[in-house]
Amino acid sequence: MSTAIVWFRRDLRLADNPALESAADRHDKLVLLYIEAESATEPWSAGAASRWWLHHSLERFDADLAKLGQSLTLKRGPALQCLRECLAESGADAVYWNRMYDPAARQRDARIKEELRGDGIAVESFAANLLFEPWQIRTGKGGPFRVFTPFWRACQRQAEIAEPLPAPASLPSRPDSSVKSVTLDALNLMPEIGWYDGLARMWQPGEHAAHARLADFCDTALANYADGREVPSVAGTSRLSPHLHFGEISPRSVWHRVGQHSLLQRSQPGAEAFLREIGWREFAHHVLFHYPHTPDQPLNSKYADFPWRENHGDLLSAWQRGRTGFPIVDAGMRELWHTGWMHNRVRMIVASLLVKNLRVPWTAGAGWFWDTLVDADLANNTLGWQWAAGCGADAAPYFRIFNPVRQGEKFDPDGSYVRSWIPELADLPDRWIHKPWEAPDRVRPDPDLYPAPVVDLATSRKAALEALARLKKYGSG
Ligand SMILES: Cc1cc2nc3c(=O)[nH]c(=O)nc-3n(C[C@H](O)[C@H](O)[C@H](O)COP(=O)(O)OP(=O)(O)OC[C@H]3O[C@@H](n4cnc5c(N)ncnc54)[C@H](O)[C@@H]3O)c2cc1C
């Protein structure tokens, strides 16, 4: 009789789970383990919104396992210690997991693999959370890519992406010996303050909800995705990002579902544009894998000495609270606070205002997103912020500064997105909805209700360009 442990991390799903499938094929008894080991991923342990998601995701996963006569074993503490405890309690002699790619998790996993093998335990890890392993895609010279388009072309030259594995119809049972588990509440994942009611209204974590969301997206928005993805007032994107982050659905499942749908429904351009975004997710993981210092340091080292604004605390706080006086920015920041998510176009606009017009370091913005996004993901967040700051892979040049008024007029022309998040501006005519400070007195909102802009756009743009010029003159790169 052989027993194995499957260590779940960011793969909280039954379908297309190669670690689970291999362990179930080869062993008579299984312990399905989740370890809450915060310190292992510091300083990037999960933020408040992610912890809310994780709590519910674990709850749903356990309910799905119960239908197969299994359950999750939960432990809290350093991962190696918890694994050893579980091995001793269950008599297991093998551990399986699906790979993670964040720098701290990689280091931890390599150490655990070595230690457990030293104890005589069989350890096997699997590729499950990306379409391509980050080391698999190489430039002609054998190095990593720093530009998306050639990276994506190189991905497309790889062999066909394997079909996802089906969810198991049955699973080996738990061992007869008693394996200690703490309760879900004892993991202390739920934030103390009740701000998360809005998250609960918008999201349903879990594998079933992820597949339902993908099916709904294919039926309603995929065909028009290429254009629809730019309009924040409509549900034109998939909102799969937290499900993908927690591994409730695999990128292979997304790839094949979208491919089949596009063949049947002739939604080819939408499908191509959408799968390209899945490609950006691959690229973000590729860059983080090869440049593990980038969550804190710019990829382009020349920007390490960028002259950020001193004493920027009040500006950062106005940005966080959605009170900068720029409606499209404030709407985005309020959407983030209330739902744990923000539209991609608006993420780019709010990030540009913060790092360029306000000259607040991009790491401060990345930190706020980390705490408040339900899809906070070290690879995607780092790439997004370094892109906005002009210092990362395939980044927008620093001198290209988004004008939030023009961006608002282009992507939210009737102001419906702004009005849905800023009730103070509900009655402002369209003409001034993205620049209320120019509205005549009779319709301009009371500044006590909605603030005047925290910076002048033209002056702050000039100051940002001067800062860039100083960096070029005195910088190291
Ligand atoms: C400053 C900034 C910070 C960001 N932080 C994160 C983050 O922490 N987590 C996160 O998942 N995404 C992040 N993004 C990328 C992007 O905004 C989100 O992935 C997207 O808005 C999620 O919504 P969706 O699932 O509806 O996307 P869709 O348009 O439906 O795209 C499908 C999937 O592709 C991936 N994807 C889409 N765009 C990108 C992108 N630009 N980079 C990498 N992957 C992408 C996501 O997994 C997404 O779920 C950030 C972007 C910026 C500009």
Side-chain angles (χ1 to χ4, degrees):
M1 179 82 65
S2 77
T3 303
I5 295 174
V6 183
W7 180 19
F8 288 91
R9 300 101 65 80
R10 283 220 292 270
D11 51 346
L12 299 174
R13 63 175 183 263
L14 289 165
D16 201 27
N17 191 322
L20 178 64
E21 194 195 69
S22 299
D25 271 359
R26 300 178 202 163
H27 299 272
D28 313 299
K29 297 280 179 185
L30 289 186
V31 180
L32 308 181
L33 177 66
Y34 181 83
I35 302 171
E36 180 54 21
E38 277 216 338
S39 56
T41 48
E42 270 173 0
W44 294 103
S45 49
S50 299
R51 292 168 69 81
W52 175 87
W53 188 287
L54 179 58
H55 177 98
H56 294 288
S57 190
L58 288 167
E59 191 172 48
R60 302 276 155 111
F61 190 44
D62 193 43
D64 293 342
L65 290 173
K67 291 179 199 147
L68 300 176
Q70 259 285 4
S71 63
L72 267 184
T73 294
L74 302 175
K75 290 195 183 278
R76 192 174 180 195
L80 180 59
Q81 185 186 312
C82 292
L83 280 163
R84 281 190 168 137
E85 189 181 287
C86 195
L87 284 160
E89 289 166 348
S90 63
D93 58 5
V95 179
Y96 294 73
W97 67 68
N98 293 313
R99 288 195 271 278
M100 287 174 67
Y101 304 93
D102 300 359
R106 276 172 52 210
Q107 271 181 17
R108 174 199 63 188
D109 290 353
R111 193 173 60 84
I112 289 180
K113 207 178 242 186
E114 197 180 314
E115 293 270 350
L116 291 183
R117 284 184 176 157
D119 296 348
I121 303 294
V123 182
E124 204 172 333
S125 66
F126 296 81
N129 293 333
L130 292 174
L131 298 173
F132 307 100
E133 293 295 84
W135 51 89
Q136 192 185 336
I137 310 295
R138 300 243 151 224
T139 63
K141 289 188 178 151
F145 283 92
R146 289 167 72 129
V147 179
F148 174 74
T149 302
F151 166 82
W152 193 226
R153 259 192 246 118
C155 291
Q156 286 163 327
R157 285 196 295 272
Q158 299 286 311
E160 292 266 297
I161 291 161
E163 289 278 344
L165 303 165
S170 64
L171 283 175
S173 57
R174 295 165 63 83
D176 302 328
S177 56
S178 108
V179 178
K180 284 197 212 99
S181 174
V182 298
T183 62
L184 180 58
D185 287 340
L187 298 186
N188 273 337
L189 294 168
M190 286 294 275
E192 275 167 25
I193 49 163
W195 116 99
Y196 50 77
D197 289 351
L199 309 193
R201 273 195 294 277
M202 163 121 175
W203 300 102
Q204 203 185 346
E207 184 171 8
H208 288 290
H211 284 273
R213 198 173 266 280
L214 175 60
D216 181 59
F217 168 70
C218 286
D219 288 341
T220 59
L222 180 62
N224 190 38
Y225 177 80
D227 297 327
R229 67 183 290 265
E230 291 290 9
V231 185
S233 61
V234 302
T237 67
S238 70
R239 302 193 186 199
L240 279 173
S241 47
H243 299 288
L244 277 164
H245 171 76
F246 286 98
E248 297 169 350
I249 190 167
S250 75
R252 279 192 292 254
S253 298
V254 174
W255 182 270
H256 283 283
R257 179 79 173 75
V258 167
Q260 280 160 10
H261 194 278
S262 108
L263 275 182
L264 292 174
Q265 307 291 329
R266 299 172 198 277
S267 48
Q268 195 62 28
E272 259 170 40
F274 178 74
L275 294 176
R276 198 176 155 84
E277 295 308 311
I278 299 292
W280 274 96
R281 177 177 182 271
E282 297 287 316
F283 182 56
H285 285 79
H286 176 86
V287 173
L288 180 62
F289 179 87
H290 292 287
Y291 303 99
H293 61 285
T294 50
D296 312 296
Q297 308 287 329
L299 177 68
N300 184 344
S301 60
K302 170 174 100 177
Y303 286 88
D305 298 325
F306 190 82
W308 300 108
R309 188 191 297 261
E310 287 171 15
N311 304 322
H312 53 250
D314 288 350
L315 289 174
L316 176 62
S317 143
W319 178 83
Q320 289 169 335
R321 289 183 298 123
R323 292 193 60 80
T324 66
F326 298 105
I328 189 89
V329 172
D330 294 341
M333 298 308 291
R334 295 181 194 193
E335 178 178 33
L336 172 62
W337 181 254
H338 289 288
T339 69
W341 186 85
M342 193 196 296
H343 188 275
N344 181 61
R345 167 59 51 183
V346 189
R347 292 188 203 203
M348 296 196 286
I349 301 170
V350 304
S352 172
L353 187 93
L354 187 76
V355 297
K356 294 182 179 170
N357 301 89
L358 307 188
R359 268 190 303 120
V360 174
W362 64 269
T363 44
W368 182 252
F369 269 30
W370 185 256
D371 207 27
T372 51
L373 277 172
V374 285
D375 66 23
D377 181 281
L378 199 59
N380 293 356
N381 199 38
T382 302
L383 187 87
W385 277 97
Q386 292 221 17
W387 181 89
C391 59
D394 210 350
Y398 185 86
F399 59 78
R400 206 169 288 154
I401 299 177
F402 279 176
N403 179 314
V405 177
R406 276 194 227 118
Q407 290 283 313
E409 287 169 349
K410 184 163 178 197
F411 296 107
D412 184 34
D414 63 357
S416 47
Y417 175 71
V418 159
R419 285 193 186 86
S420 67
W421 290 109
I422 313 184
E424 305 94 290
L425 300 182
D427 298 329
L428 195 62
D430 290 1
R431 186 166 163 206
W432 295 291
I433 192 73
H434 292 291
K435 44 183 177 190
W437 59 92
E438 286 188 10
D441 287 353
R442 69 190 154 75
V443 287
R444 191 183 316 145
D446 177 345
D448 286 340
L449 272 183
Y450 186 71
V454 288
V455 287
D456 174 72
L457 285 178
T459 323
S460 59
R461 181 175 192 281
K462 193 161 167 270
L465 293 176
E466 282 165 6
L468 178 68
R470 280 205 300 283
L471 178 75
K472 278 196 171 151
K473 194 163 172 195
Y474 302 114
S476 48

